[in-house]
Every structure is written in structure tokens, then in C-alpha cells.
């Protein structure tokens, strides 16, 4: 590992002291145990399952009130994030922490927007059920993976 020593000067009571700070530039990350590969397969499958849904969503939403490009764009980002996180977990790549940290807020925002923009009745009920049973639990899992992964690295 290569380090850089940066001299710092501190003046205390009229005396000068030389201090040095060590900053690692690059090197191997300490190995962190990745989540179980089954979780990776679940995330990958969830992301892949969103792809046909995107086609239905793009074809079914019309008009300026529904803004299909906004919904398709958000769900496409969500699918890409889930697929990337799933693949990294399966490969036991420590960078899964970064994609999990990005995936969690995407899922929360999607759940929030789905519930707030749903029409009264069956649409609202299905949005709340989807948010409570799929999007928010998966966001919690991704958030927990990110927090635990960042905590391991100090």
C-alpha cells in the first residue's frame, strides 16, 4: 500500500511541532463477508422481473398527468440498480455496498410516488400493498447491506 505523508504544523505555546498525517492512496480493501448469494439471486430476479413491467408501463400510461417517461425512467433506474447489486452480491464483490446504497432510496422514492399518485380505490390499495410487501422491505434490505458494508470498512 502506498501512503502519502503530509506535514502539518501546530503551534502550541510558542513551540513548533511537526505532525504527519498518513493517507492511504490505494490498496486492497479488507475482505468483507458478502451477503449470501441467495440474496443476490433474489435481487437479480427482482430487477429482471421489472423489465417486462417497464414495457407494460410504457404502453399503458398516457397523457401528461401520468408522464410515462418519468415512471419508466425511475423503474429503469430501479431495475438497473437491483440487477447490478444482485450480480455484485453473487460475485461476492465488496462494491455491492455502493449499489445497495443507491438502490435503497430509489425503492423508497418509487414506493412514495406510487402511493401518492395512485387514484382512490383499487389503484391505491395495490400501490400500498406493493409498497409494504415489496418495495419498502427490499429498500430496507439494501439499506442494511449498505450500512453493514460501510461499517466494516471503518
Amino acid at each position: 500500500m502506498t501512503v502519502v505523508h503530509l506535514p502539518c504544523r501546530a503551534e502550541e505555546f510558542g513551540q513548533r511541532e511537526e505532525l504527519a498525517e498518513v493517507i492511504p492512496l490505494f490498496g486492497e480493501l479488507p475482505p468483507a463477508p458478502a451477503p449470501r448469494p441467495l440474496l443476490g439471486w433474489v435481487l437479480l430476479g427482482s430487477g429482471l422481473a421489472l423489465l417486462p413491467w417497464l414495457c407494460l408501463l410504457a404502453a399503458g400510461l398516457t397523457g401528461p398527468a401520468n408522464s410515462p417517461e418519468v415512471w419508466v425512467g425511475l423503474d429503469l433506474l430501479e431495475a438497473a440498480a437491483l440487477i447490478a447489486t444482485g450480480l455484485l452480491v453473487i460475485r461476492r464483490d465488496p462494491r455491492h455496498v455502493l449499489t445497495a446504497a443507491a438502490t435503497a432510496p430509489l425503492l423508497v422514492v418509487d414506493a412514495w410516488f406510487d402511493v401518492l399518485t395512485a387514484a382512490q380505490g383499487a389503484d391505491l390499495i395495490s400501490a400500498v400493498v406493493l409498497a409494504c410487501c415489496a418495495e419498502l422491505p427490499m429498500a430496507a434490505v439494501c439499506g442494511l447491506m449498505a450500512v453493514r458494508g460501510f461499517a466494516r470498512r471503518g
Side-chain angles (χ1 to χ4, degrees):
M1 177 186 308
T2 305
V3 294
V4 174
H5 296 281
L6 299 175
C8 300
R9 297 188 184 265
E11 300 207 12
E12 294 180 0
F13 305 108
Q15 297 177 348
R16 288 187 129 172
E17 294 182 17
E18 291 287 331
L19 302 175
E21 181 179 357
V22 177
I23 301 173
L25 292 179
F26 60 88
E28 292 295 320
L29 292 173
R36 298 187 186 273
L38 177 62
L39 177 59
W41 288 108
V42 169
L43 293 171
L44 178 64
S46 299
L48 291 174
L50 277 176
L51 297 179
W53 166 247
L54 289 171
C55 297
L56 292 172
L57 188 64
L61 293 176
T62 57
N66 289 329
S67 303
E69 59 278 348
V70 173
W71 291 110
V72 170
L74 179 61
D75 284 350
L76 186 61
L77 283 173
E78 210 174 286
L82 285 167
I83 291 168
T85 304
L87 288 173
L88 291 172
V89 168
I90 291 167
R91 293 179 53 210
R92 296 192 180 272
D93 190 321
R95 292 175 292 182
H96 75 276
V97 173
L98 300 174
T99 56
T103 305
L106 283 172
L107 290 163
V108 170
V109 166
D110 189 31
W112 178 259
F113 287 166
D114 286 347
V115 170
L116 289 182
T117 60
Q120 293 292 326
D123 285 345
L124 181 60
I125 292 170
S126 65
V128 169
V129 168
L130 184 64
C132 292
C133 296
E135 292 167 332
L136 294 178
M138 197 164 298
V141 167
C142 288
L144 189 59
M145 279 193 319
V147 168
R148 285 185 176 175
F150 285 128
R152 282 189 200 110
R153 284 165 183 48

